[in-house]
Amino acid sequence: MKKEKIDRNLKIRQFISFLACLMLMLVVPIWRDHRIIGIDLGLNDREEIPATLTKTEDGLIINTTEIGKEYIGYGGQTPIEIILKDDKIEKIKILPNQETPEFLGAVKNSDLLDRLMGLTLSEAIVYPLDGVSGATYTSDAIINNIRVGLQYGLNEEGEIAKITVAQEKITLKFYITIIVILAGGIIPLFYKDKRYRTLQLILNILLLGFWGGTFISYSQMTSFLSNGITQVALIPVALMLIAAFIYPWFGKNNYYCLWMCPYGSIQELAGKCVKIKIKLNPKLIKYLGYFRDCLWFILMWLLWTGLWFDWMGYEPFAAFFFTDASAVVLGIAGGFLLLSFFINRPYCRFVCPTGSLFKLAEGSR
C-alpha cells in the first residue's frame, strides 16, 4: 500500500509539473504571436497592420501579412512583399517572421525568389514554382504567399485569377523518419543491447539529423503552441514530443534525449571514439548543474518579457542544416561536439534549455 501511495504521488507530481511547463510555454506564443493553436487572440489591434497594397509613383507594393496568414511554414507565418515597378516584378522580399532560420536560409540561398523577376503579374501567376529541397514546407508556404499576393494584385487591376496553392507532399523521407522514431521509441523498451544502441545513435544522426532535420527545439514547440499541427510533416516531431513529455509518466525519464535527439546522439557517439576522458570534479558537476538551471531561468525570463525571442534560433540542433546554419549556431554546435570527445554529452548535461524543460516537466528537478 505504501508503494502504491508513493507511485500515485509521483504521478500526481509529474502531471502537475507537466501542466506547469505547459503554462510557462503558453506565455511565449501569446506574447510573441498573439495566438494559441491557431486561434487569434485579438491582441493585434495594438499593432499597426501593414496595408496589403500600396501604390507608389511607378508601381505597387503588395504585402501578404494579412491575406497570406493561413500559410504556415515549419515555424510560423511567412509573409512576403512583392514590389512592382513599371508593371513588372522588381523584387520579392521575405518579411520578418518566426520561421526556423535554417529552413528560411535554404529558401533565400535558392533561386526561388528570383524566378519571377521581370515578369508582369499575369505572367507570374501562371509561372510554375517548385519547392526547395530540404525546406519543402517553408518554401511551399512562401510560394503560396507569392501566389495569393499576385492574385490580389491582379484583382485590383480588374483581372480574374484563380490560383492553385502548393499541396503537402508525403515523401519517402517522411516514412523513413517515422520508422526511425518508432524504432527509438519502442525497440529499446524490450531489447537491451549495446550494439543496437550504437545503431540507433547512427540512425538518429544521419536520418533524423542530417537528412530529415527532425528534432525538438524551443522554436518548434513554440510554433506548435502558436499554430497547432498544421501539416502532416510535423507528425514525426509530435511523436518525439510524446516521448519527451508522456514517457516519463511510465518511468522512462529523459527518454527523448537518450534515444531520439540527433544532437545528443552525435555527442554520445563522439564520446565512444575516444577512450581518454576528462574527469570532472563532483563539486564542479554540481556547480555546472546550477549554471544550467540559472541559464534556463534567464532564457525563459527573456521569453516571458519579450526581450529576446531570437535566442531560440541559436540552439545547436539547427547545425544539422550546416549549409544554411549561421556561424554562431555552427560554432556552438562544433564547440560542444569537440568537448564531447572528452566529456560525456556536455551540452545535454550542462546547457541544453530544451532538456531543462523536459526535466522540469517530468518532475525530476
Side-chain angles (χ1 to χ4, degrees):
M1 290 295 293
K2 186 176 181 181
K3 184 179 183 301
E4 291 179 0
K5 184 177 181 180
I6 292 174
D7 290 342
R8 185 172 63 253
N9 290 339
L10 176 60
K11 293 292 186 294
I12 292 172
R13 188 178 72 200
Q14 288 177 324
F15 183 67
I16 292 174
S17 296
F18 170 75
L19 288 180
C21 286
L22 180 61
M23 298 303 293
L24 291 174
M25 286 299 296
L26 279 173
V27 174
V28 185
I30 291 173
W31 182 260
R32 189 190 72 175
D33 305 326
H34 313 312
R35 52 195 283 136
I36 297 178
I37 315 179
I39 301 172
D40 196 322
L41 300 178
L43 302 176
N44 286 317
D45 293 341
R46 63 186 182 184
E47 299 178 355
E48 183 179 348
I49 299 174
T52 300
L53 189 140
T54 303
K55 294 185 177 181
T56 62
E57 292 182 0
D58 51 6
L60 297 172
I61 297 176
I62 303 169
N63 186 304
T64 67
T65 299
E66 279 297 298
I67 58 175
K69 60 184 178 183
E70 66 181 276
Y71 303 118
I72 307 295
Y74 243 97
Q77 298 174 0
T78 54
I80 57 99
E81 196 171 72
I82 303 171
I83 301 171
L84 291 103
K85 184 177 180 181
D86 298 327
D87 297 326
K88 294 185 178 181
I89 297 174
E90 182 181 55
K91 186 177 182 181
I92 296 177
K93 181 171 64 174
I94 299 175
L95 298 174
N97 57 78
Q98 279 79 48
E99 183 57 294
T100 304
E102 280 62 40
F103 289 128
L104 206 58
V107 173
K108 290 179 177 178
N109 292 335
S110 72
D111 66 344
L112 175 61
L113 301 179
D114 298 325
R115 296 177 199 169
L116 303 180
M117 297 303 99
L119 301 181
T120 65
L121 289 175
S122 299
E123 293 170 337
I125 197 73
V126 296
Y127 190 93
L129 292 173
D130 298 320
V132 177
S133 178
T136 304
Y137 296 95
T138 300
S139 56
D140 281 351
I142 291 173
I143 289 171
N144 286 333
N145 268 273
I146 292 172
R147 286 175 174 164
V148 78
L150 295 172
Q151 181 191 48
Y152 189 91
L154 281 172
N155 290 344
E156 284 293 311
E157 293 184 357
E159 298 186 38
I160 303 300
K162 184 177 180 181
I163 65 169
T164 303
V165 299
Q167 301 296 319
E168 288 192 65
K169 306 175 185 68
I170 303 303
T171 63
L172 178 63
K173 180 186 292 187
F174 173 84
Y175 293 112
I176 291 178
T177 299
I178 290 285
I179 291 170
V180 174
I181 292 172
L182 291 178
I186 297 174
I187 293 177
L189 300 177
F190 305 99
Y191 181 65
K192 311 292 183 183
D193 185 90
K194 290 184 178 180
R195 289 172 298 180
Y196 175 75
R197 177 162 183 80
T198 300
L199 173 62
Q200 183 69 43
L201 294 176
I202 293 172
L203 293 176
N204 292 344
I205 296 165
L206 296 181
L207 300 183
L208 298 186
F210 288 110
W211 193 47
T214 307
F215 46 77
I216 300 177
S217 65
Y218 257 80
S219 179
Q220 188 67 78
M221 288 187 287
T222 301
S223 175
F224 269 15
L225 293 174
S226 177
N227 305 303
I229 300 178
T230 58
Q231 305 173 42
V232 174
L234 297 179
I235 290 177
V237 182
L239 293 175
M240 288 179 162
L241 288 169
I242 291 173
F245 289 108
I246 306 302
Y247 269 42
W249 296 2
F250 302 95
K252 301 299 179 181
N253 288 356
N254 214 27
Y255 196 91
Y256 164 78
C257 300
L258 291 174
W259 284 102
M260 297 180 186
C261 176
Y263 191 62
S265 297
I266 200 170
Q267 289 178 83
E268 183 171 335
L269 201 60
K272 292 178 181 291
C273 297
V274 177
K275 292 184 178 180
I276 301 173
K277 302 297 178 186
I278 298 174
K279 188 173 182 180
L280 300 180
N281 185 288
K283 185 175 288 188
L284 176 60
I285 294 176
K286 184 178 180 180
Y287 287 140
L288 288 172
Y290 291 151
F291 167 78
R292 173 178 172 161
D293 292 341
C294 292
L295 176 65
W296 178 80
F297 179 80
I298 291 170
L299 294 176
M300 285 300 299
W301 178 78
L302 291 171
L303 295 180
W304 295 331
T305 57
L307 291 177
W308 192 31
F309 293 118
D310 289 348
W311 73 255
M312 293 186 288
Y314 293 106
E315 290 188 276
F317 314 120
F320 285 104
F321 306 102
F322 58 90
T323 58
D324 302 302
S326 68
V328 175
V329 169
L330 291 173
I332 293 172
F336 279 102
L337 181 58
L338 288 175
L339 275 177
S340 65
F341 282 98
F342 309 101
I343 300 173
N344 182 40
R345 286 178 170 244
Y347 182 79
C348 302
R349 294 167 64 195
F350 306 127
V351 178
C352 186
T354 298
S356 295
L357 182 73
F358 295 159
K359 283 185 173 294
L360 180 62
E362 66 191 23
S364 61
R365 338 174 30 123

